[in-house]
Amino acid sequence: MAGIREITQMCRDGEWDAAHAQVRQELDAAPGDIWTQRKMGWVQYYRIKDAAEANRLEDVLDGLSQLSRLDQLRPSDDQMLYDSVLWKLALMARNLQQDDGTRLLAVLKGFHFSPSRAYSFLLKSHLHLSGWSGMLDFLDWWGLDHLQAEDFLPYQALGGKGLMSLAERAHIAYAKALLQSRDRARCGHFLPRLQQLHADHPEMAYPGYFCGKLMVMTGADREAVLDVLVPFVREKSRDFWAWQLLSESYREDAQVQLACLLRAVHCGAQESFLGKVRMRIASLYVAQGEPGRARCHLERVAACYQRQGWHLPLEVREMLGFVCAGGTPPDASPGSDFMEVTNGILARGCQECVAVVTHVDEQARRVAIVYGQERRTALRKKDISGKGVKVGTFLRVLVSGEDPVRVVQASVMDAPVPGLAYVKRVKGIVRRVPEKSFAFVRAKGVNCFLHPALVTQNQLAEGERVSVLAALDLDRKTGKWGWAGLVLLGREQDTGQQG
């Protein structure tokens, strides 16, 4: 009687038929013997391996059926065998079509595999089947509880770029399949899980988006939907589809819905992506008796579809006929301040603060700001509304979150704000360290640092009595907070002058 090593060697040497016949004879004599079943398991593995590598699905399915009949074997006890099978199935599954995926799943449902890298790879290899009607059944069979800790880590692509983790991709695939099926029972079961993923993994970009989509689909309360969606839209405020999704939460408020859609088309996306958005905008304008504005969007849809060689939907043709019938010319103006409306949505739940600019990096086009007591962050210069942003400029900012904080909106203020604990006017005498480009202003209880640029720009000299606008800023080299001069307000002869 040959052992497992001899049987597997026969299979590797191309003597599969002989190995199968020998083990079959042993199994007929002792069908319940676990060691004989293990030998047959490895024989079937080599059959599955050869068939999978040659994309012979029928042989793979038959090999799996034969393996499933070996009732003494368990994935938990024979993990090497079952993982070997899973690796081959996963490699083959990457090339499967949807119908083949359904046939493979029908056989796989007879197995209950243990979590492993091979089992996770089988999951990954099926996620390319977008639109597959069997995706929900597959993911339910696979069991998202079997995801391992490493599956929640982002992939590192060549060049160090982080890609979406397997866990995030799998949850998104489930959400997309739910949206396609509109299965509310499954949605009610899955949504808490997705919300927990969103809470536990804030580094994942899209669980919040799909939470919102599913909540909208199930008719959840608007306030609950906004609690989930608004933080996501803040992160994706330059993407048209984020605003398109947010508009779905305002189906009972035509003006706000219109504002969200107008913001969507002003995000700079390719016109070929905006057809449905512009159609919805046009229908809202028609409903409120503004055919000129509707016509402008419909004509852009028609021009885009013509360029792409696409068939123009009947809905667009009918609306175009209606708005053109009276001879009203197209009107490209929005008719309302959609930016004010949508910025108001983004401000939901934010804290309003007064900030002062402490550093400007013109090369990176970024500024550092202090917005509270020992509160400092940075933002892009182009994200600040208003002109003349420089060191010492006061900003009105809306911030969300704690660590890290996110600046949602920032705008230049017309005048300095008095009474801030982290900004004050410091009067004192300039003290310079020999052969150093920086300096200090020494005043009662304060030793205010002056950056070399401030010293050079104003030609500050040792012993001068000056007045500077200072902020309690973070020294990133030492990690300590201290007063730093921002702007020279005046010298001794003109200390009353404000700068």
mmCIF file of all heavy atoms in Angstrom, residues 233 237-238 240 243 246-247 250 254-268 277-278 281 284-285 288 293 297 300 331-347 409:
data_model
loop_
_atom_site.group_PDB
_atom_site.id
_atom_site.type_symbol
_atom_site.label_atom_id
_atom_site.label_comp_id
_atom_site.label_asym_id
_atom_site.label_seq_id
_atom_site.Cartn_x
_atom_site.Cartn_y
_atom_site.Cartn_z
ATOM 1 N N VAL A 233 -18.472 63.808 1.854
ATOM 2 C CA VAL A 233 -18.490 64.803 0.774
ATOM 3 C C VAL A 233 -17.438 65.879 1.027
ATOM 4 O O VAL A 233 -16.852 66.416 0.084
ATOM 5 C CB VAL A 233 -19.899 65.407 0.616
ATOM 6 C CG1 VAL A 233 -19.907 66.506 -0.447
ATOM 7 C CG2 VAL A 233 -20.901 64.311 0.233
ATOM 8 N N SER A 237 -15.108 66.736 -2.048
ATOM 9 C CA SER A 237 -15.898 67.879 -2.527
ATOM 10 C C SER A 237 -15.530 68.305 -3.940
ATOM 11 O O SER A 237 -16.260 69.089 -4.549
ATOM 12 C CB SER A 237 -15.742 69.067 -1.574
ATOM 13 O OG SER A 237 -14.388 69.481 -1.500
ATOM 14 N N ARG A 238 -14.437 67.795 -4.482
ATOM 15 C CA ARG A 238 -14.056 68.127 -5.862
ATOM 16 C C ARG A 238 -14.516 67.067 -6.859
ATOM 17 O O ARG A 238 -14.204 67.163 -8.040
ATOM 18 C CB ARG A 238 -12.539 68.317 -5.958
ATOM 19 C CG ARG A 238 -12.031 69.516 -5.193
ATOM 20 C CD ARG A 238 -10.512 69.615 -5.209
ATOM 21 N NE ARG A 238 -10.055 70.721 -4.400
ATOM 22 C CZ ARG A 238 -9.935 70.692 -3.083
ATOM 23 N NH1 ARG A 238 -10.216 69.574 -2.436
ATOM 24 N NH2 ARG A 238 -9.533 71.754 -2.408
ATOM 25 N N PHE A 240 -17.617 65.180 -8.721
ATOM 26 C CA PHE A 240 -19.019 65.451 -9.049
ATOM 27 C C PHE A 240 -19.961 64.412 -8.463
ATOM 28 O O PHE A 240 -21.074 64.720 -8.021
ATOM 29 C CB PHE A 240 -19.197 65.540 -10.567
ATOM 30 C CG PHE A 240 -19.328 64.218 -11.264
ATOM 31 C CD1 PHE A 240 -20.582 63.662 -11.509
ATOM 32 C CD2 PHE A 240 -18.207 63.497 -11.660
ATOM 33 C CE1 PHE A 240 -20.707 62.438 -12.140
ATOM 34 C CE2 PHE A 240 -18.320 62.281 -12.288
ATOM 35 C CZ PHE A 240 -19.582 61.744 -12.532
ATOM 36 N N TRP A 243 -21.356 64.995 -4.918
ATOM 37 C CA TRP A 243 -22.470 65.940 -4.861
ATOM 38 C C TRP A 243 -23.729 65.344 -5.469
ATOM 39 O O TRP A 243 -24.848 65.629 -5.024
ATOM 40 C CB TRP A 243 -22.090 67.239 -5.566
ATOM 41 C CG TRP A 243 -21.075 68.014 -4.798
ATOM 42 C CD1 TRP A 243 -19.737 68.139 -5.068
ATOM 43 C CD2 TRP A 243 -21.303 68.746 -3.594
ATOM 44 N NE1 TRP A 243 -19.123 68.903 -4.109
ATOM 45 C CE2 TRP A 243 -20.057 69.291 -3.194
ATOM 46 C CE3 TRP A 243 -22.432 68.992 -2.819
ATOM 47 C CZ2 TRP A 243 -19.926 70.070 -2.049
ATOM 48 C CZ3 TRP A 243 -22.301 69.768 -1.680
ATOM 49 C CH2 TRP A 243 -21.060 70.297 -1.307
ATOM 50 N N LEU A 246 -25.164 63.306 -2.733
ATOM 51 C CA LEU A 246 -25.758 64.145 -1.701
ATOM 52 C C LEU A 246 -27.100 64.709 -2.151
ATOM 53 O O LEU A 246 -28.030 64.856 -1.342
ATOM 54 C CB LEU A 246 -24.798 65.281 -1.340
ATOM 55 C CG LEU A 246 -25.142 66.092 -0.096
ATOM 56 C CD1 LEU A 246 -25.219 65.209 1.141
ATOM 57 C CD2 LEU A 246 -24.119 67.203 0.112
ATOM 58 N N SER A 247 -27.225 65.007 -3.441
ATOM 59 C CA SER A 247 -28.491 65.552 -3.957
ATOM 60 C C SER A 247 -29.648 64.584 -3.750
ATOM 61 O O SER A 247 -30.806 65.003 -3.606
ATOM 62 C CB SER A 247 -28.353 65.895 -5.442
ATOM 63 O OG SER A 247 -28.356 64.720 -6.256
ATOM 64 N N TYR A 250 -31.939 65.069 -0.849
ATOM 65 C CA TYR A 250 -32.810 66.251 -0.837
ATOM 66 C C TYR A 250 -33.892 66.163 -1.909
ATOM 67 O O TYR A 250 -34.262 67.173 -2.508
ATOM 68 C CB TYR A 250 -31.969 67.517 -1.041
ATOM 69 C CG TYR A 250 -31.111 67.873 0.140
ATOM 70 C CD1 TYR A 250 -29.778 67.473 0.202
ATOM 71 C CD2 TYR A 250 -31.631 68.594 1.209
ATOM 72 C CE1 TYR A 250 -28.988 67.796 1.297
ATOM 73 C CE2 TYR A 250 -30.838 68.921 2.302
ATOM 74 C CZ TYR A 250 -29.524 68.518 2.340
ATOM 75 O OH TYR A 250 -28.739 68.830 3.430
ATOM 76 N N ALA A 254 -36.385 70.733 -3.580
ATOM 77 C CA ALA A 254 -35.894 70.925 -4.951
ATOM 78 C C ALA A 254 -34.769 71.948 -5.030
ATOM 79 O O ALA A 254 -33.826 71.778 -5.810
ATOM 80 C CB ALA A 254 -37.047 71.339 -5.867
ATOM 81 N N GLN A 255 -34.815 73.009 -4.220
ATOM 82 C CA GLN A 255 -33.803 74.059 -4.318
ATOM 83 C C GLN A 255 -32.438 73.568 -3.842
ATOM 84 O O GLN A 255 -31.414 73.837 -4.460
ATOM 85 C CB GLN A 255 -34.245 75.282 -3.498
ATOM 86 C CG GLN A 255 -35.428 76.015 -4.098
ATOM 87 C CD GLN A 255 -35.163 76.485 -5.524
ATOM 88 O OE1 GLN A 255 -34.110 77.050 -5.817
ATOM 89 N NE2 GLN A 255 -36.097 76.231 -6.408
ATOM 90 N N VAL A 256 -32.421 72.838 -2.737
ATOM 91 C CA VAL A 256 -31.151 72.315 -2.241
ATOM 92 C C VAL A 256 -30.631 71.218 -3.163
ATOM 93 O O VAL A 256 -29.428 71.117 -3.433
ATOM 94 C CB VAL A 256 -31.294 71.794 -0.802
ATOM 95 C CG1 VAL A 256 -29.968 71.237 -0.301
ATOM 96 C CG2 VAL A 256 -31.776 72.899 0.120
ATOM 97 N N GLN A 257 -31.538 70.381 -3.656
ATOM 98 C CA GLN A 257 -31.119 69.336 -4.599
ATOM 99 C C GLN A 257 -30.485 69.962 -5.840
ATOM 100 O O GLN A 257 -29.436 69.508 -6.312
ATOM 101 C CB GLN A 257 -32.324 68.484 -5.013
ATOM 102 C CG GLN A 257 -31.940 67.347 -5.931
ATOM 103 C CD GLN A 257 -33.129 66.544 -6.422
ATOM 104 O OE1 GLN A 257 -32.994 65.715 -7.309
ATOM 105 N NE2 GLN A 257 -34.295 66.784 -5.861
ATOM 106 N N LEU A 258 -31.104 71.028 -6.337
ATOM 107 C CA LEU A 258 -30.565 71.724 -7.507
ATOM 108 C C LEU A 258 -29.191 72.313 -7.203
ATOM 109 O O LEU A 258 -28.268 72.219 -8.025
ATOM 110 C CB LEU A 258 -31.537 72.826 -7.936
ATOM 111 C CG LEU A 258 -31.112 73.681 -9.139
ATOM 112 C CD1 LEU A 258 -30.927 72.815 -10.380
ATOM 113 C CD2 LEU A 258 -32.143 74.779 -9.403
ATOM 114 N N ALA A 259 -29.028 72.876 -6.019
ATOM 115 C CA ALA A 259 -27.728 73.461 -5.648
ATOM 116 C C ALA A 259 -26.640 72.391 -5.641
ATOM 117 O O ALA A 259 -25.527 72.618 -6.130
ATOM 118 C CB ALA A 259 -27.835 74.134 -4.282
ATOM 119 N N CYS A 260 -26.957 71.209 -5.103
ATOM 120 C CA CYS A 260 -25.966 70.123 -5.080
ATOM 121 C C CYS A 260 -25.597 69.686 -6.494
ATOM 122 O O CYS A 260 -24.422 69.437 -6.794
ATOM 123 C CB CYS A 260 -26.518 68.929 -4.296
ATOM 124 S SG CYS A 260 -26.702 69.224 -2.521
ATOM 125 N N LEU A 261 -26.578 69.599 -7.370
ATOM 126 C CA LEU A 261 -26.316 69.171 -8.744
ATOM 127 C C LEU A 261 -25.532 70.224 -9.513
ATOM 128 O O LEU A 261 -24.661 69.892 -10.333
ATOM 129 C CB LEU A 261 -27.637 68.854 -9.440
ATOM 130 C CG LEU A 261 -28.394 67.638 -8.887
ATOM 131 C CD1 LEU A 261 -29.795 67.556 -9.472
ATOM 132 C CD2 LEU A 261 -27.622 66.351 -9.168
ATOM 133 N N LEU A 262 -25.831 71.498 -9.264
ATOM 134 C CA LEU A 262 -25.057 72.560 -9.918
ATOM 135 C C LEU A 262 -23.603 72.528 -9.445
ATOM 136 O O LEU A 262 -22.684 72.750 -10.235
ATOM 137 C CB LEU A 262 -25.685 73.922 -9.625
ATOM 138 C CG LEU A 262 -27.006 74.214 -10.349
ATOM 139 C CD1 LEU A 262 -27.647 75.479 -9.806
ATOM 140 C CD2 LEU A 262 -26.797 74.332 -11.853
ATOM 141 N N ARG A 263 -23.404 72.251 -8.167
ATOM 142 C CA ARG A 263 -22.027 72.136 -7.671
ATOM 143 C C ARG A 263 -21.347 70.949 -8.343
ATOM 144 O O ARG A 263 -20.145 71.001 -8.646
ATOM 145 C CB ARG A 263 -22.026 71.956 -6.161
ATOM 146 C CG ARG A 263 -20.640 71.801 -5.548
ATOM 147 C CD ARG A 263 -20.300 72.913 -4.635
ATOM 148 N NE ARG A 263 -18.968 72.793 -4.055
ATOM 149 C CZ ARG A 263 -18.611 73.304 -2.888
ATOM 150 N NH1 ARG A 263 -19.493 73.972 -2.155
ATOM 151 N NH2 ARG A 263 -17.384 73.185 -2.436
ATOM 152 N N ALA A 264 -22.101 69.883 -8.595
ATOM 153 C CA ALA A 264 -21.540 68.703 -9.249
ATOM 154 C C ALA A 264 -20.989 69.041 -10.634
ATOM 155 O O ALA A 264 -19.875 68.632 -10.984
ATOM 156 C CB ALA A 264 -22.588 67.598 -9.346
ATOM 157 N N VAL A 265 -21.755 69.793 -11.422
ATOM 158 C CA VAL A 265 -21.301 70.086 -12.789
ATOM 159 C C VAL A 265 -20.203 71.138 -12.816
ATOM 160 O O VAL A 265 -19.588 71.355 -13.862
ATOM 161 C CB VAL A 265 -22.476 70.508 -13.706
ATOM 162 C CG1 VAL A 265 -23.498 69.402 -13.812
ATOM 163 C CG2 VAL A 265 -23.111 71.806 -13.228
ATOM 164 N N HIS A 266 -19.950 71.790 -11.695
ATOM 165 C CA HIS A 266 -18.868 72.778 -11.631
ATOM 166 C C HIS A 266 -17.597 72.197 -11.007
ATOM 167 O O HIS A 266 -16.685 72.945 -10.650
ATOM 168 C CB HIS A 266 -19.313 74.007 -10.838
ATOM 169 C CG HIS A 266 -20.197 74.929 -11.617
ATOM 170 N ND1 HIS A 266 -21.548 74.688 -11.789
ATOM 171 C CD2 HIS A 266 -19.930 76.076 -12.302
ATOM 172 C CE1 HIS A 266 -22.072 75.659 -12.520
ATOM 173 N NE2 HIS A 266 -21.116 76.501 -12.850
ATOM 174 N N CYS A 267 -17.520 70.864 -10.898
ATOM 175 C CA CYS A 267 -16.334 70.225 -10.319
ATOM 176 C C CYS A 267 -15.241 69.958 -11.343
ATOM 177 O O CYS A 267 -14.184 69.433 -10.988
ATOM 178 C CB CYS A 267 -16.728 68.904 -9.634
ATOM 179 S SG CYS A 267 -17.550 69.131 -8.042
ATOM 180 N N GLY A 268 -15.514 70.261 -12.607
ATOM 181 C CA GLY A 268 -14.490 70.093 -13.628
ATOM 182 C C GLY A 268 -14.405 68.697 -14.205
ATOM 183 O O GLY A 268 -13.388 68.342 -14.813
ATOM 184 N N VAL A 277 -26.594 63.991 -14.603
ATOM 185 C CA VAL A 277 -26.672 65.139 -13.701
ATOM 186 C C VAL A 277 -27.355 66.310 -14.401
ATOM 187 O O VAL A 277 -28.263 66.949 -13.853
ATOM 188 C CB VAL A 277 -25.268 65.547 -13.223
ATOM 189 C CG1 VAL A 277 -25.351 66.767 -12.309
ATOM 190 C CG2 VAL A 277 -24.609 64.394 -12.486
ATOM 191 N N ARG A 278 -26.932 66.597 -15.634
ATOM 192 C CA ARG A 278 -27.534 67.725 -16.364
ATOM 193 C C ARG A 278 -29.006 67.446 -16.699
ATOM 194 O O ARG A 278 -29.829 68.368 -16.700
ATOM 195 C CB ARG A 278 -26.739 68.015 -17.638
ATOM 196 C CG ARG A 278 -25.355 68.586 -17.371
ATOM 197 C CD ARG A 278 -24.770 69.226 -18.613
ATOM 198 N NE ARG A 278 -23.404 69.672 -18.402
ATOM 199 C CZ ARG A 278 -23.067 70.827 -17.835
ATOM 200 N NH1 ARG A 278 -24.021 71.641 -17.409
ATOM 201 N NH2 ARG A 278 -21.799 71.157 -17.689
ATOM 202 N N ILE A 281 -30.862 68.320 -13.591
ATOM 203 C CA ILE A 281 -30.892 69.774 -13.436
ATOM 204 C C ILE A 281 -31.954 70.370 -14.352
ATOM 205 O O ILE A 281 -32.756 71.223 -13.936
ATOM 206 C CB ILE A 281 -29.512 70.383 -13.742
ATOM 207 C CG1 ILE A 281 -28.507 70.016 -12.647
ATOM 208 C CG2 ILE A 281 -29.607 71.904 -13.881
ATOM 209 C CD1 ILE A 281 -27.080 70.432 -12.952
ATOM 210 N N LEU A 284 -35.471 69.856 -13.094
ATOM 211 C CA LEU A 284 -35.795 70.740 -11.973
ATOM 212 C C LEU A 284 -36.071 72.158 -12.457
ATOM 213 O O LEU A 284 -37.001 72.825 -11.961
ATOM 214 C CB LEU A 284 -34.649 70.741 -10.958
ATOM 215 C CG LEU A 284 -34.465 69.441 -10.158
ATOM 216 C CD1 LEU A 284 -33.158 69.473 -9.383
ATOM 217 C CD2 LEU A 284 -35.637 69.233 -9.201
ATOM 218 N N TYR A 285 -35.283 72.637 -13.418
ATOM 219 C CA TYR A 285 -35.526 73.971 -13.970
ATOM 220 C C TYR A 285 -36.879 74.019 -14.687
ATOM 221 O O TYR A 285 -37.623 75.003 -14.571
ATOM 222 C CB TYR A 285 -34.417 74.356 -14.943
ATOM 223 C CG TYR A 285 -33.178 74.943 -14.285
ATOM 224 C CD1 TYR A 285 -31.907 74.562 -14.694
ATOM 225 C CD2 TYR A 285 -33.290 75.898 -13.283
ATOM 226 C CE1 TYR A 285 -30.767 75.108 -14.102
ATOM 227 C CE2 TYR A 285 -32.151 76.443 -12.688
ATOM 228 C CZ TYR A 285 -30.901 76.042 -13.110
ATOM 229 O OH TYR A 285 -29.776 76.588 -12.515
ATOM 230 N N GLN A 288 -39.706 74.361 -12.244
ATOM 231 C CA GLN A 288 -39.887 75.665 -11.603
ATOM 232 C C GLN A 288 -40.012 76.792 -12.627
ATOM 233 O O GLN A 288 -39.893 77.968 -12.282
ATOM 234 C CB GLN A 288 -38.744 75.949 -10.622
ATOM 235 C CG GLN A 288 -37.363 75.971 -11.200
ATOM 236 C CD GLN A 288 -36.283 75.995 -10.108
ATOM 237 O OE1 GLN A 288 -36.412 75.333 -9.078
ATOM 238 N NE2 GLN A 288 -35.233 76.770 -10.329
ATOM 239 N N ARG A 293 -32.765 78.162 -18.654
ATOM 240 C CA ARG A 293 -31.704 77.472 -17.925
ATOM 241 C C ARG A 293 -31.734 75.971 -18.209
ATOM 242 O O ARG A 293 -30.685 75.327 -18.327
ATOM 243 C CB ARG A 293 -31.827 77.757 -16.428
ATOM 244 C CG ARG A 293 -31.539 79.208 -16.074
ATOM 245 C CD ARG A 293 -31.397 79.423 -14.579
ATOM 246 N NE ARG A 293 -30.912 80.767 -14.304
ATOM 247 C CZ ARG A 293 -31.682 81.790 -13.951
ATOM 248 N NH1 ARG A 293 -32.988 81.615 -13.809
ATOM 249 N NH2 ARG A 293 -31.153 82.976 -13.736
ATOM 250 N N HIS A 297 -28.572 73.320 -20.259
ATOM 251 C CA HIS A 297 -28.035 72.024 -19.843
ATOM 252 C C HIS A 297 -28.398 70.923 -20.838
ATOM 253 O O HIS A 297 -27.578 70.038 -21.123
ATOM 254 C CB HIS A 297 -28.533 71.684 -18.442
ATOM 255 C CG HIS A 297 -27.917 72.539 -17.374
ATOM 256 N ND1 HIS A 297 -26.709 72.247 -16.788
ATOM 257 C CD2 HIS A 297 -28.336 73.712 -16.807
ATOM 258 C CE1 HIS A 297 -26.404 73.187 -15.907
ATOM 259 N NE2 HIS A 297 -27.377 74.085 -15.898
ATOM 260 N N ARG A 300 -26.148 71.035 -23.860
ATOM 261 C CA ARG A 300 -24.810 70.503 -23.578
ATOM 262 C C ARG A 300 -24.833 68.974 -23.563
ATOM 263 O O ARG A 300 -23.883 68.330 -24.014
ATOM 264 C CB ARG A 300 -24.305 71.054 -22.251
ATOM 265 C CG ARG A 300 -24.068 72.560 -22.288
ATOM 266 C CD ARG A 300 -23.329 73.066 -21.075
ATOM 267 N NE ARG A 300 -21.935 72.624 -21.072
ATOM 268 C CZ ARG A 300 -20.997 73.111 -20.276
ATOM 269 N NH1 ARG A 300 -21.325 74.086 -19.418
ATOM 270 N NH2 ARG A 300 -19.767 72.668 -20.311
ATOM 271 N N ASP A 331 -29.909 79.935 -21.160
ATOM 272 C CA ASP A 331 -29.422 80.816 -20.100
ATOM 273 C C ASP A 331 -28.460 80.010 -19.231
ATOM 274 O O ASP A 331 -28.848 79.057 -18.563
ATOM 275 C CB ASP A 331 -30.609 81.316 -19.262
ATOM 276 C CG ASP A 331 -30.188 82.280 -18.150
ATOM 277 O OD1 ASP A 331 -28.978 82.475 -17.963
ATOM 278 O OD2 ASP A 331 -31.093 82.817 -17.471
ATOM 279 N N ALA A 332 -27.177 80.381 -19.241
ATOM 280 C CA ALA A 332 -26.156 79.622 -18.511
ATOM 281 C C ALA A 332 -26.039 80.020 -17.051
ATOM 282 O O ALA A 332 -25.304 79.380 -16.298
ATOM 283 C CB ALA A 332 -24.798 79.787 -19.194
ATOM 284 N N SER A 333 -26.750 81.063 -16.618
ATOM 285 C CA SER A 333 -26.633 81.485 -15.221
ATOM 286 C C SER A 333 -27.356 80.496 -14.311
ATOM 287 O O SER A 333 -28.378 79.924 -14.688
ATOM 288 C CB SER A 333 -27.229 82.885 -15.040
ATOM 289 O OG SER A 333 -28.630 82.862 -15.287
ATOM 290 N N PRO A 334 -26.848 80.289 -13.085
ATOM 291 C CA PRO A 334 -27.471 79.293 -12.203
ATOM 292 C C PRO A 334 -28.783 79.751 -11.603
ATOM 293 O O PRO A 334 -29.633 78.931 -11.242
ATOM 294 C CB PRO A 334 -26.417 79.071 -11.122
ATOM 295 C CG PRO A 334 -25.637 80.345 -11.091
ATOM 296 C CD PRO A 334 -25.608 80.839 -12.514
ATOM 297 N N GLY A 335 -28.968 81.057 -11.430
ATOM 298 C CA GLY A 335 -30.221 81.541 -10.865
ATOM 299 C C GLY A 335 -30.237 81.591 -9.351
ATOM 300 O O GLY A 335 -31.185 82.097 -8.750
ATOM 301 N N SER A 336 -29.211 81.057 -8.701
ATOM 302 C CA SER A 336 -29.116 81.085 -7.242
ATOM 303 C C SER A 336 -27.650 80.894 -6.862
ATOM 304 O O SER A 336 -26.837 80.436 -7.670
ATOM 305 C CB SER A 336 -29.977 79.990 -6.604
ATOM 306 O OG SER A 336 -29.515 78.708 -6.992
ATOM 307 N N ASP A 337 -27.332 81.236 -5.638
ATOM 308 C CA ASP A 337 -25.958 81.079 -5.151
ATOM 309 C C ASP A 337 -25.798 79.651 -4.625
ATOM 310 O O ASP A 337 -25.906 79.394 -3.426
ATOM 311 C CB ASP A 337 -25.660 82.097 -4.052
ATOM 312 C CG ASP A 337 -24.176 82.151 -3.694
ATOM 313 O OD1 ASP A 337 -23.441 81.226 -4.091
ATOM 314 O OD2 ASP A 337 -23.762 83.111 -3.010
ATOM 315 N N PHE A 338 -25.540 78.721 -5.557
ATOM 316 C CA PHE A 338 -25.451 77.318 -5.167
ATOM 317 C C PHE A 338 -24.241 77.056 -4.272
ATOM 318 O O PHE A 338 -24.256 76.139 -3.447
ATOM 319 C CB PHE A 338 -25.428 76.409 -6.395
ATOM 320 C CG PHE A 338 -24.202 76.534 -7.244
ATOM 321 C CD1 PHE A 338 -23.070 75.772 -6.984
ATOM 322 C CD2 PHE A 338 -24.173 77.408 -8.323
ATOM 323 C CE1 PHE A 338 -21.938 75.873 -7.773
ATOM 324 C CE2 PHE A 338 -23.043 77.529 -9.116
ATOM 325 C CZ PHE A 338 -21.918 76.757 -8.838
ATOM 326 N N MET A 339 -23.179 77.859 -4.411
ATOM 327 C CA MET A 339 -22.006 77.665 -3.570
ATOM 328 C C MET A 339 -22.319 77.990 -2.108
ATOM 329 O O MET A 339 -21.883 77.290 -1.191
ATOM 330 C CB MET A 339 -20.844 78.526 -4.058
ATOM 331 C CG MET A 339 -20.211 78.034 -5.349
ATOM 332 S SD MET A 339 -19.460 76.388 -5.186
ATOM 333 C CE MET A 339 -18.109 76.729 -4.067
ATOM 334 N N GLU A 340 -23.093 79.034 -1.886
ATOM 335 C CA GLU A 340 -23.470 79.374 -0.509
ATOM 336 C C GLU A 340 -24.316 78.270 0.110
ATOM 337 O O GLU A 340 -24.108 77.887 1.272
ATOM 338 C CB GLU A 340 -24.240 80.697 -0.487
ATOM 339 C CG GLU A 340 -24.641 81.127 0.915
ATOM 340 C CD GLU A 340 -25.382 82.452 0.935
ATOM 341 O OE1 GLU A 340 -25.523 83.076 -0.134
ATOM 342 O OE2 GLU A 340 -25.840 82.853 2.024
ATOM 343 N N VAL A 341 -25.237 77.727 -0.674
ATOM 344 C CA VAL A 341 -26.102 76.662 -0.169
ATOM 345 C C VAL A 341 -25.282 75.416 0.153
ATOM 346 O O VAL A 341 -25.413 74.818 1.224
ATOM 347 C CB VAL A 341 -27.206 76.324 -1.187
ATOM 348 C CG1 VAL A 341 -28.014 75.105 -0.722
ATOM 349 C CG2 VAL A 341 -28.128 77.517 -1.386
ATOM 350 N N THR A 342 -24.422 75.007 -0.775
ATOM 351 C CA THR A 342 -23.663 73.762 -0.569
ATOM 352 C C THR A 342 -22.572 73.931 0.483
ATOM 353 O O THR A 342 -22.281 72.994 1.226
ATOM 354 C CB THR A 342 -23.051 73.281 -1.895
ATOM 355 O OG1 THR A 342 -22.306 74.350 -2.511
ATOM 356 C CG2 THR A 342 -24.143 72.825 -2.852
ATOM 357 N N ASN A 343 -21.981 75.115 0.569
ATOM 358 C CA ASN A 343 -21.019 75.349 1.643
ATOM 359 C C ASN A 343 -21.706 75.284 3.002
ATOM 360 O O ASN A 343 -21.115 74.848 3.997
ATOM 361 C CB ASN A 343 -20.330 76.705 1.474
ATOM 362 C CG ASN A 343 -19.222 76.662 0.440
ATOM 363 O OD1 ASN A 343 -18.700 75.598 0.117
ATOM 364 N ND2 ASN A 343 -18.868 77.813 -0.092
ATOM 365 N N GLY A 344 -22.966 75.713 3.035
ATOM 366 C CA GLY A 344 -23.731 75.604 4.264
ATOM 367 C C GLY A 344 -23.926 74.158 4.687
ATOM 368 O O GLY A 344 -23.895 73.831 5.877
ATOM 369 N N ILE A 345 -24.107 73.275 3.706
ATOM 370 C CA ILE A 345 -24.228 71.848 4.020
ATOM 371 C C ILE A 345 -22.917 71.314 4.568
ATOM 372 O O ILE A 345 -22.885 70.569 5.554
ATOM 373 C CB ILE A 345 -24.655 71.060 2.764
ATOM 374 C CG1 ILE A 345 -26.035 71.514 2.283
ATOM 375 C CG2 ILE A 345 -24.664 69.559 3.050
ATOM 376 C CD1 ILE A 345 -26.455 70.899 0.961
ATOM 377 N N LEU A 346 -21.816 71.695 3.937
ATOM 378 C CA LEU A 346 -20.501 71.225 4.394
ATOM 379 C C LEU A 346 -20.179 71.717 5.802
ATOM 380 O O LEU A 346 -19.396 71.089 6.528
ATOM 381 C CB LEU A 346 -19.408 71.688 3.432
ATOM 382 C CG LEU A 346 -19.435 71.101 2.021
ATOM 383 C CD1 LEU A 346 -18.233 71.607 1.234
ATOM 384 C CD2 LEU A 346 -19.442 69.592 2.051
ATOM 385 N N ALA A 347 -20.772 72.846 6.190
ATOM 386 C CA ALA A 347 -20.503 73.410 7.512
ATOM 387 C C ALA A 347 -21.247 72.678 8.625
ATOM 388 O O ALA A 347 -21.023 72.960 9.808
ATOM 389 C CB ALA A 347 -20.889 74.884 7.529
ATOM 390 N N GLN A 409 -13.769 75.073 5.561
ATOM 391 C CA GLN A 409 -13.843 76.334 4.822
ATOM 392 C C GLN A 409 -12.911 77.338 5.484
ATOM 393 O O GLN A 409 -12.697 77.295 6.702
ATOM 394 C CB GLN A 409 -15.275 76.882 4.819
ATOM 395 C CG GLN A 409 -16.273 76.042 4.047
ATOM 396 C CD GLN A 409 -17.702 76.531 4.220
ATOM 397 O OE1 GLN A 409 -17.944 77.701 4.514
ATOM 398 N NE2 GLN A 409 -18.654 75.631 4.066
#
